[in-house]
Amino acid sequence: MMKKRQVVVRSRGDSGRSSSTSMARSVRYGECQKNHAANIGGYAVDGCREFMANGDEGSPEALNCAACGCHRNFHRREVDEVVSESFSTNSYSRTTGA
């Protein structure tokens, strides 16, 4: 059974507890979803399974797929987000009057 975990990030005004959260994204592009038969009212994809850049990163050719020739936007975008959390708690004792 998978449990969901809710993270509450507190502002600096809260006493006794602080947290910091950092997030990293990893983006990859999967299969091509361009409909090559749209102009005749049909549906046909080329079968390209994964985007491979046609040039070096930063160049205009890097936005075209080396396998199918389509622009990167036609490929399904897959985003993996990795969240790293760290919490610190200040311990204190509480006394009550009798």
Side-chain angles (χ1 to χ4, degrees):
M1 185 170 142
M2 187 178 229
K3 294 182 180 180
K4 290 186 177 182
R5 182 174 160 185
Q6 183 178 5
V7 177
V8 178
V9 179
R10 299 180 185 267
S11 65
R12 289 181 171 229
D14 294 342
S15 61
R17 189 173 215 178
S18 65
S19 70
S20 64
T21 303
S22 63
M23 186 166 51
R25 287 187 178 176
S26 171
V27 178
R28 65 180 282 266
Y29 295 89
E31 66 272 1
C32 185
Q33 297 177 337
K34 183 177 181 180
N35 183 3
H36 293 277
N39 60 349
I40 60 170
Y43 181 75
V45 293
D46 58 13
C48 181
R49 301 292 294 160
E50 186 175 358
F51 176 80
M52 294 182 294
N54 198 22
D56 294 330
E57 186 175 338
S59 69
E61 294 84 22
L63 298 176
N64 293 328
C65 182
C68 66
C70 295
H71 192 273
R72 185 175 72 182
N73 289 346
F74 285 108
H75 289 259
R76 185 170 54 89
R77 184 175 180 183
E78 299 170 355
V79 179
D80 296 326
E81 293 183 351
V82 178
V83 177
S84 175
E85 303 166 359
S86 63
F87 295 96
S88 64
T89 305
N90 296 334
S91 60
Y92 62 96
S93 61
R94 184 175 173 182
T95 58
T96 58

